[in-house]
Amino acid sequence: MHDATDDGGRAVVLRPTGPLPARPVVPAPRPVIPPTGRAQACAAARAAAVAAGADAARCDPSRARPTEGPATDRTLLDRTGQQLDHTGHQEDHAVSVPAPVPHLKRSLRRFDIMAMGVAAVISFDVIGQIAAGGGQAVTWIAVIAVAFLLPYALVFAETGAAFPQEGGPYVWVEVAFGRPAAVLTTTFYWVTNPVWLGGSLVFVAAGAWDGFVLPLGSGTVADYVFKLVFIWAAILTAVVSLRRGKWITTAGAGAKVLALAFFTGTAVAYGVQHGFRGLQGSGFSPTGVGFLALVPVLLFAFVGFEAPNAAGDEMIDPQRDVPVAIGVSGAIATCCYLLPVLAILSAAPPGRVTGVGGFMDAARLVFGIYGGWRGPLLTFVAVLFVVALLTQGSAWMIVADRMQAMAAADGGFFSRGLGAFHPRLGTPVRMNLLSGVTATVFMAAAMNLAKGDASAVFGVVLTVAITTLLLSYLAVVPALLALRLRHREVPRPYRVPFGTLGFTVATLLVYAWIVLGSWVALFPGPLEQLFGIPYDFRAVWGVSRLTFEAFTLGTVVLLLVVAAAGYLTQRMRTQSQDEERQARPAR
């Protein structure tokens, strides 16, 4: 057992937990380091490396990172060596976080974090789905932005700056509620993205390419080839090192904002010439049926700003940059939803907007003001549209695969091998490939759903992605409050206004929205019936309730089984290895 100190004066004790397999390399530990004092941080990291038997000379003060070595637990102590709880009193347990990953390099600056948030959160595929709600969609966007996004951004900004370890939400839930809860939560968070990539993004991209670039048909060989290329291009961009991959997501964020700005400006010009006839038939007064239809989609559209924290050990200064990046990207996302939806409604006649083709269908209409340039400009915007969708998928693969890899490396998902990070690329290649396979399987399943009805496929699959993501927040959001109340000793460079009371109120408000959205997404119809609102299930979804529930509930049940099997498999394997070590004669 070895002692080291951080730059705040606390002692840090490192306890070896036993040998690990040579392949894959399981990350080495580091203490939680306050946001300032790179030299002191490097000293603490060097002490940790020496304790682990590693080469201390490899510690870089600009990164303050220990090198490879056996896995350890990190325990916070006071100056006398006694363990502390969040009130400063002695306790019998310690705060422990998963060991960090070797081979990683800090390359994410504030702009990169913000661009990754914009690339991941602004969803082209849901813009049309939101606009299909009519004029009241604008009203509900404004309500959600104030009543949900604002408190959401505040609590995640504080937690992301205080706990910037690789794995992000996995670490938060694991510290707050233990490994089983973290594994289950991360599995839902992770699988959302290959499901969404293979069942939603790829359908929207194929529709845009087929209508405005080159014909693909529906269910043809060309259709399948395009979708396979789209999925695996997104996966490969997540495989490359983050130093290079961040520029791909940044380019995607730029393409997304450029396309939306160009479309919005064109829609305004169209309205000036032809009148804003679409707005005349749109009612902006909120209704109960509109609220229940839109709330899951809007919550899905506005969550995910914490996603870059999954690459926390690859950020240069997360304590300072995360809060600012979340605030800026949240403001950009609000504008990028509100203005294009308003533009679509102003241009498209009522009833013409559909979820799967809303954005490009509206673009086809308003680009008529360009005369002979209409065709080339539509093709250009369609290519930007597809590139933005592709990089959006890759941005989520970058962060979600890191979270799931940390769960695997921490001994919570089938094999530690799935948590291996490539020594040169610094990416979880095996988990990336698993995501690609999952997306491909889900794409094939979605192609056979509803017998080729693209609109029905899109709506049902998007709802599956919404459901799995929102269900993961049922554990993530309470974990933020648990960390705030139990671990006040952790430095918090940014704090929610009004202290613990403000943090608690904001967290409870966010949680109430998440519970409502999860229920409505998983069980559409009962709340409408409870409030006497007519609800024709087949007319809304294009499939029977049995088909819908088999696809959504079936996915949730399957994920529960996979998460439990992954955790129990690795636990039994670890117990077996421990028993073998104990049975060996002492040397």
Side-chain angles (χ1 to χ4, degrees):
M1 183 181 300
H2 300 270
D3 291 337
T5 59
D6 62 16
D7 62 349
R10 293 190 181 90
V12 180
V13 63
L14 302 169
R15 297 190 179 94
T17 59
L20 296 172
R23 300 292 294 175
V25 177
V26 177
R30 70 168 181 176
V32 172
I33 299 173
T36 58
R38 297 271 183 182
Q40 293 92 334
C42 188
R46 187 176 289 111
V50 172
D55 182 7
R58 293 172 59 189
C59 177
D60 183 350
S62 67
R63 293 188 171 91
R65 181 187 307 283
T67 55
E68 305 167 32
T72 66
D73 293 332
R74 188 267 300 149
T75 305
L76 289 179
L77 307 178
D78 68 4
R79 295 179 182 273
T80 65
Q82 298 296 321
Q83 297 176 3
L84 299 179
D85 65 12
H86 67 275
T87 63
H89 295 93
Q90 296 179 11
E91 63 174 358
D92 294 331
H93 63 279
V95 181
S96 179
V97 297
V101 182
H103 318 307
L104 298 185
K105 296 181 179 180
R106 295 189 183 272
S107 60
L108 293 180
R109 300 181 183 276
R110 180 176 298 177
F111 176 79
D112 303 320
I113 301 170
M114 180 191 68
M116 187 177 292
V118 169
V121 172
I122 301 174
S123 304
F124 261 135
D125 57 329
V126 304
I127 288 178
Q129 192 82 350
I130 295 170
Q136 62 178 306
V138 176
T139 304
W140 290 120
I141 289 174
V143 171
I144 294 290
V146 174
F148 172 77
L149 178 60
L150 181 58
Y152 169 93
L154 290 174
V155 295
F156 276 100
E158 177 174 324
T159 306
F163 293 87
Q165 292 82 9
E166 191 82 3
Y170 171 76
V171 175
W172 306 340
V173 179
E174 201 247 6
V175 173
F177 303 133
R179 187 178 298 167
V183 169
L184 179 61
T185 298
T186 304
T187 300
F188 274 83
Y189 196 106
W190 162 71
V191 84
T192 294
N193 299 288
V195 165
W196 181 47
L197 174 65
S200 177
L201 290 183
V202 74
F203 280 83
V204 179
W209 196 270
D210 177 64
F212 301 94
V213 184
L214 289 173
L216 298 174
S218 178
T220 63
V221 173
D223 188 27
Y224 273 97
V225 169
F226 176 88
K227 289 172 180 174
L228 287 173
V229 170
F230 183 91
I231 289 171
W232 286 98
I235 297 299
L236 290 177
T237 56
V239 168
V240 301
S241 67
L242 195 55
R243 287 180 298 167
R244 296 178 175 86
K246 70 179 183 179
W247 296 113
I248 298 175
T249 58
T250 299
K256 188 175 299 185
V257 173
L258 175 62
L260 290 173
F262 185 61
F263 168 77
T264 303
T266 303
V268 171
Y270 179 89
V272 170
Q273 287 188 11
H274 302 281
F276 297 95
R277 290 174 293 180
L279 294 178
Q280 296 172 5
S282 299
F284 291 90
S285 300
T287 65
V289 65
F291 172 73
L292 293 175
L294 287 169
V295 65
V297 182
L298 288 174
L299 293 179
F300 180 78
F302 279 120
V303 297
F305 292 105
E306 78 289 341
N309 263 100
D313 281 351
E314 297 162 85
M315 297 177 182
I316 293 176
D317 193 356
Q319 289 88 354
R320 294 178 181 270
D321 294 342
V322 166
V324 176
I326 288 179
V328 173
S329 56
I332 293 174
T334 301
C335 293
C336 285
Y337 282 125
L338 189 61
L339 297 180
V341 167
L342 198 58
I344 289 174
L345 294 174
S346 70
R352 281 276 303 275
V353 179
T354 64
V356 69
F359 179 82
M360 291 306 301
D361 287 344
R364 190 200 306 268
L365 175 64
V366 300
F367 277 30
I369 67 172
Y370 295 118
W373 286 93
R374 176 175 178 267
L377 284 174
L378 274 174
T379 301
F380 173 70
V381 170
V383 171
L384 278 182
F385 184 76
V386 172
V387 169
L389 291 174
L390 176 66
T391 56
Q392 184 176 349
S394 66
W396 276 105
M397 291 298 105
I398 288 171
V399 294
D401 287 351
R402 277 167 165 76
M403 285 177 54
Q404 191 68 3
M406 289 301 294
D410 200 32
F413 190 71
F414 288 109
S415 169
R416 292 183 188 271
L418 290 172
F421 280 62
H422 193 278
R424 181 172 58 86
L425 299 175
T427 55
V429 176
R430 296 175 186 176
M431 192 60 68
N432 294 145
L433 297 178
L434 180 60
S435 290
V437 172
T438 304
T440 302
V441 170
F442 213 87
M443 181 270 291
M447 289 285 286
N448 291 285
L449 177 69
K451 298 179 180 180
D453 184 344
S455 180
V457 169
F458 172 79
V460 174
V461 174
L462 179 61
T463 299
V464 172
I466 291 171
T467 301
T468 54
L469 185 60
L470 293 184
L471 287 176
S472 71
Y473 283 94
L474 292 177
V476 173
V477 174
L480 309 186
L481 185 57
L483 293 176
R484 185 68 166 80
L485 298 176
R486 298 176 188 171
H487 303 299
R488 301 183 187 183
E489 78 284 350
V490 176
R492 293 178 180 264
Y494 169 79
R495 291 179 178 269
V496 173
F498 307 107
T500 301
L501 177 61
F503 193 100
T504 302
V505 171
T507 304
L508 293 177
L509 184 58
V510 171
Y511 195 68
W513 281 106
I514 294 295
V515 170
L516 176 62
S518 301
W519 176 267
V520 175
L522 194 56
F523 303 107
L527 283 181
E528 286 85 349
Q529 295 174 4
L530 178 64
F531 292 105
I533 300 172
Y535 193 83
D536 186 337
F537 196 93
R538 181 172 285 277
V540 172
W541 295 101
V543 297
S544 67
R545 179 178 287 277
L546 179 62
T547 301
F548 178 92
E549 298 295 359
F551 212 64
T552 54
L553 282 176
T555 300
V556 171
V557 172
L558 178 62
L559 288 179
L560 290 171
V561 172
V562 170
Y567 176 75
L568 294 175
T569 298
Q570 185 57 33
R571 184 177 180 181
M572 289 186 293
R573 182 177 299 173
T574 302
Q575 289 176 345
S576 177
Q577 292 172 351
D578 290 343
E579 291 173 357
E580 289 179 4
R581 282 196 297 267
Q582 292 175 0
R584 293 173 186 170
R587 294 183 179 180

